[in-house]
Amino acid sequence: MIQNAQESPPVEILLVEDNPGDHRLTKEALHEGKVYNNLHWAQDGVEAIEFLKRRGKYKDAPRPDIILLDLNLPKKDGRQVLSEIKQDDDLRYIPVVILTTSKAEEDVLKSYHLHANCYVTKPVDLEKFITVVQSIDRFWLTVVTLPNAK
Amino acid sequence: MSEASPDIASVLAVLETRRDDLRIAQELIEVLPIPVFFKGRDGKYQGVNRAWEAFFGVKRRDILGGNVTDLYPNEPGVAAKHTEMDARLWAAPGDQSYEIRLALADGRVRHTIYYKATYAGPDGEVAGLIGTIIDITERKQAEQREAIEHAVARHLGSDESLADAIRGIMQVMCERLDWACAARWSLDEAQNRLHCVETWSEDDERLRAFLELSRRETFVPGTTGMIRRVLTTGESVWIADIAEKKDFLRGPKATAAGLRGAFALPVRMGEKVLGAIEFFSHEPRHPDKWLLTTTVSIGNLIGQLMARRQAEAAMREAFQELEHKTRELTRSNEELQQFAYVASHDLQEPLRMISSYTQLLGRRYGDRLDGDAKEFMAYIVDGAARMKQLIEDLLAYSRVGTRAKEFQEVDSGASLARALSNLRASQEASGAVITHDPMPHVLADGAQLAQIFQNLIGNAIKFRGAEPPRIHVGAQTTDTVCVFTVKDNGIGLDTQYAERIFMMFQRLHNKTEYPGTGIGLAIVKKIVERHGGRIWVESEPGKGAQFGFTIAREHATGATP
């Protein structure tokens, strides 16, 4: 199932995450993975929306193939970002993976009925984290048939 | 009533013409069972019969030749009324009747109807009057008692304030029993002082002024004065004439207001005297035994009312307190949930950083680190993982109360099946054989019941002995409750630790022997208690363990979701 990374166009991933440690870990995990990717990093909700709407310094930003969204963000909260994405006729087709810190948090979030495509708990264990990131990678980019970008 | 009154005047008129029969007439009058009297035109008593002597307790020799004021030395009002009625009769000869309340010399109070008629002398002119007295005291008192009790009951049963109820009762008693004004005194136990709290009076400026003065007084209970004595003795006190009672402190003020007679009754709750109600009359008044006895029960009724109102007030207060506490509790629960969420997120993020980057260090630079460095790093990672588990467990524990569902009738068998399905992996790995009794329906939160089974059976598998685990889930029901048991053939435990194992993060074993944070039984206990049940353990080391817990089968008071 896994395609030859070097021959495919890179997968554009937008990580919305305020913790530099998690950004770095995600980068490391993707680096060890097989999928050729470009990881873009928005540090808060406002920046994420600017990136997605290609405003300001992001006017040349690519349309992400997948969004990894942390919910506890400065300025604009992740829930709000998600709701704006899902209300936008163009952006709503981009799969959103919600990254949560704990199982408990995930339970709480599910009860908000956020229309996320997937919830993933960030594991404490690095190996697991790498596995998770890579499985997101594979699952969303190779197994699931996603609507083509316009 | 007129047919009941013998027309004695006409009888006499006939007898007058038959002098021979005069002796018979005199005998007849003498033996009549009702009091009869003759008065001359000058108002002096000319004759009375035996019944009259008995009624007044006065010998005829002591009254003949005297007038009505001699008969009522202490009741000028009564004497004046009779004199006035006599005058009317002289002015318009014939007959008359009127109702009047008498206080006799010995203190008895009688309610009477007087029937009087004039009679003519030989010259045809009015020579005097003959009168009879009908004693209606019992009927009158019954009426008064009924009216007062009815009024008391009406006021006590209404939802007006205590002050209004007592004022209403005082008004009825004054109006029915001819008192001019009344006041209630209440004992302030903290200060040991009597305060005048409610008053009622006829529409009279002087009375209002007197009561206003009373309101400004406070007394310490003592042996002198009216109210003070009532408080000290718990008995009613009667002052026939305030003017002659030197130790009545408010005497001069009362007499200045035209008050002479006074009476006070205790307001009691059982043996305890809560205060007193006092009454004043315009005229000096002899103690009325009937009134003294009748009003005891009224004082007690008012005392009961006060006690009830106090209890109601205390209950309202307790209820408000409870509401306040409930709000506090709700708020603190919300805070706790908020805290739990924050803990789940904010406490774990640094942990992940510690653990992930330590591991990344090992991955990236492993070939340049020695054995010690790798061991130290393993401890860091292990510590972070355990910390994470503790946080998750704490959250699970806190969620027993906050994320609970309402109790409903559930099939405990379904809860057990759910638990077993979650335990399938460890059941298969350990080769555990799990059996169970027929499972009843109970009143519970099904998901939490499953959690109980999962934790208890999970423990039974975990703490197994050398043999493959044999676990039996028992269920015995009564009408109201089900006793569940989970029995195993595992390593058992020393029951001196039975209390400890249900406490959070309390463990009996080393982590390397049996991993876990020690939250499982604490959660089980919390769930059981939330269901209003109890939990216990029976065991001996090496001989297996049996955990038991109860779950209600029907709604009972006390078990709240």
Side-chain angles (χ1 to χ4, degrees), chain A residues 34-64:
Chain A
K34 301 280 187 294
V35 179
Y36 177 43
N37 65 76
N38 274 335
L39 180 66
H40 305 275
W41 180 27
Q43 296 195 55
D44 60 52
V46 173
E47 215 182 315
I49 294 296
E50 288 194 338
F51 184 97
L52 289 167
K53 305 227 164 163
R54 297 180 177 135
R55 287 198 293 244
K57 62 174 175 177
Y58 295 114
K59 71 175 163 42
D60 296 324
R63 176 197 161 86

Side-chain angles (χ1 to χ4, degrees), chain B residues 495-556:
Chain B
T495 46
Q496 65 168 303
Y497 304 120
E499 289 294 312
R500 268 188 65 190
I501 59 170
F502 293 110
M503 286 156 75
M504 215 181 350
F505 300 143
Q506 293 290 330
R507 304 160 41 83
L508 298 183
H509 303 279
N510 189 299
K511 275 190 271 295
T512 50
E513 256 183 303
Y514 295 99
T517 56
I519 197 74
L521 287 176
I523 288 179
V524 167
K525 180 165 190 256
K526 195 169 170 187
I527 294 174
V528 170
E529 284 175 354
R530 180 184 164 241
H531 282 72
R534 52 188 198 88
I535 183 163
W536 64 93
V537 62
E538 294 156 22
S539 181
E540 265 181 65
K543 295 192 175 168
Q546 172 169 304
F547 284 84
F549 63 96
T550 58
I551 296 284
R553 302 193 66 201
E554 54 190 39
H555 286 284

Side-chain angles (χ1 to χ4, degrees), chain A residues 19-22 24-25 28 32 70 72 79 101-105 107-109 122-127 130, chain B residues 340-341 344-346 348-349 351-353 355-357 359-361 363-364 381 384-385 388 392 395 399 403:
Chain A
N19 183 355
D22 273 325
R24 181 63 196 266
L25 279 179
E28 294 296 331
E32 292 193 11
D70 188 34
N72 292 281
R79 293 163 192 80
T101 308
S102 74
K103 271 276 170 214
E105 188 188 18
D107 289 347
V108 173
L109 293 174
K122 299 174 186 171
V124 165
D125 189 88
L126 179 69
E127 295 289 343
I130 290 170
Chain B
Y341 178 74
S344 76
H345 183 268
D346 295 276
Q348 300 220 32
E349 192 147 297
L351 271 180
R352 269 190 322 101
M353 293 297 106
S355 162
S356 300
Y357 280 93
Q359 286 176 303
L360 192 58
L361 211 58
R363 238 176 134 92
R364 199 62 66 75
V381 172
K388 180 186 164 66
E392 296 284 357
L395 286 171
R399 266 180 280 155
R403 295 272 199 90

Side-chain angles (χ1 to χ4, degrees), chain B residues 322-340:
Chain B
L322 195 69
E323 272 190 326
H324 176 71
K325 288 231 170 93
T326 308
R327 272 198 303 277
E328 280 281 289
L329 202 65
T330 310
R331 198 181 51 75
S332 110
N333 261 343
E334 280 165 5
E335 275 177 10
L336 201 67
Q337 259 175 301
Q338 181 73 18
F339 171 78

Side-chain angles (χ1 to χ4, degrees), chain A residues 78-109:
Chain A
R79 293 163 192 80
Q80 221 178 322
V81 173
L82 180 61
S83 133
E84 285 181 35
I85 292 171
K86 290 300 168 189
Q87 278 168 29
D88 187 300
D89 285 341
D90 180 26
L91 301 176
R92 63 195 294 185
Y93 298 108
I94 303 174
V96 179
V97 174
I98 303 288
L99 299 172
T100 61
T101 308
S102 74
K103 271 276 170 214
E105 188 188 18
E106 191 180 312
D107 289 347
V108 173
L109 293 174

